[in-house]
Amino acid sequence: MPAERASAKRGQALPQGISLAGVQQNELLRALPQAELERLIPDLELVAMPVGKHLYDFGEKVEYSYFPTTAIVSLQYVNEDGITTEIAVVGREGVAGVTMYKGERASNTAVVQGAGYGYRMRTDTLRELFGEGGMLAQQLMRYTSCLFAQLAQNVVSSRHSSIEQKLCRWLLERIDRSPSLELKVTQELIANLLGVRRESITAAAGKLQAEGLIQCRRGMVVVLDRAGLERCAGACYFAARGALAQMAAH
């Protein structure tokens, strides 16, 4: 951190609503040395993240980077016909909206899919901090690598996984980032994000429910047997999960 920036932050009171323990609910931030994390806190803002909120849209200038704590963010691509496909998901393990150069435009749309809270920081500030190196820069690079792994596995899954495997993986990715086994989501939304017909999701969900793995209610899916879902999910889920585990180990 430049000397003038460090002196400005040193000894500064924590912003209202911000606590070290709260910020550390985000796993990427928790991995930072305490001294480095404390330097970031004055630039963080605690924000509510309601379902459906667009953090940024494709082609827009990204003003803020978001570090979710209890919220879940869906990264989506919308084609010219308005068809939406989910390309990745971000929760408490990472960050959404990182830009590497000034004026960079968003390459995807980020929509809150699971309500909760998170912290945001201006992208210009985060880019400045990244340029200073340190553990934050390392963690951001590691997480970017994890996102690429997730994107790659999504491509493989779209071509080689069954509808049941896609549904199991989608549910597991949410459970991994949620404090509850109950997911407020409709089958229509799942179908839209996976790019498949709703009838296909209804049939797959019915089979999983019959096998005792999930319970479907109106606007909600409850996971009853996580281990069973993992057995059905296929290798793509474990490949993406392994990349996150490797990041956490460093």
Side-chain angles (χ1 to χ4, degrees):
M1 176 175 293
E4 62 274 14
R5 182 184 181 86
S7 61
K9 300 299 184 184
R10 192 177 297 120
Q12 183 172 327
L14 296 183
Q16 186 175 4
I18 304 286
S19 69
L20 186 62
V23 171
Q24 288 178 323
Q25 291 181 60
N26 178 275
E27 295 170 6
L28 189 154
L29 295 177
R30 188 171 67 226
L32 302 179
Q34 183 168 331
E36 188 169 349
L37 180 57
E38 288 177 345
R39 288 199 300 270
L40 302 182
I41 287 179
D43 292 309
L44 293 171
E45 177 187 359
L46 177 64
V47 291
M49 301 172 68
V51 170
K53 179 179 176 60
H54 284 228
L55 305 182
Y56 55 82
D57 288 299
F58 175 83
E60 290 184 349
K61 181 180 178 182
V62 183
E63 299 288 347
Y64 290 95
S65 300
Y66 291 83
F67 297 85
T69 54
T70 56
I72 299 174
V73 179
S74 173
L75 304 185
Q76 304 171 2
Y77 179 78
V78 184
N79 68 13
E80 295 179 353
D81 297 324
I83 297 175
T84 298
T85 302
E86 183 174 81
I87 57 175
V89 61
V90 179
R92 60 179 178 265
E93 81 291 346
V95 57
V98 176
T99 62
M100 290 294 100
Y101 58 88
K102 188 174 182 179
E104 182 177 351
R105 302 284 174 171
S107 60
N108 57 73
T109 294
V111 183
V112 178
Q113 199 270 313
Y117 290 86
Y119 294 86
R120 71 180 187 179
M121 175 186 291
R122 296 197 66 86
T123 52
D124 290 346
T125 302
L126 184 60
R127 188 167 57 250
E128 176 186 328
L129 293 167
F130 178 86
E132 295 167 8
M135 183 59 74
L136 176 63
Q138 294 180 37
Q139 286 298 108
L140 288 173
M141 288 188 290
R142 286 170 181 156
Y143 183 67
T144 299
S145 178
C146 290
L147 269 185
F148 278 127
Q150 190 179 161
L151 287 166
Q153 293 306 321
N154 280 341
V155 172
V156 173
S157 177
S158 68
R159 292 180 59 86
H160 302 292
S161 296
S162 67
I163 297 296
E164 287 176 34
Q165 287 176 319
K166 292 177 182 178
L167 176 57
C168 288
R169 181 185 172 195
W170 193 94
L171 293 172
L172 286 167
E173 287 178 339
R174 264 63 189 177
I175 292 299
D176 287 345
R177 296 164 173 85
S178 172
S180 170
L181 295 177
E182 297 183 353
L183 301 174
K184 294 181 179 180
V185 64
T186 64
Q187 293 180 10
E188 182 176 4
L189 176 62
I190 296 174
N192 288 340
L193 294 179
L194 289 178
V196 301
R197 296 169 59 246
R198 178 181 176 180
E199 293 80 5
S200 299
I201 292 297
T202 299
K207 183 175 181 181
L208 295 178
Q209 182 167 247
E211 294 173 354
L213 303 184
I214 64 173
Q215 182 181 31
C216 297
R217 303 174 186 167
R218 186 174 180 83
M220 180 176 293
V221 177
V222 182
V223 174
L224 303 176
D225 183 354
R226 181 195 172 95
L229 282 183
E230 290 182 349
R231 287 192 295 271
C232 292
C236 287
Y237 166 70
F238 291 100
R241 186 181 177 188
L244 284 174
Q246 186 176 12
M247 172 185 167
H250 286 82

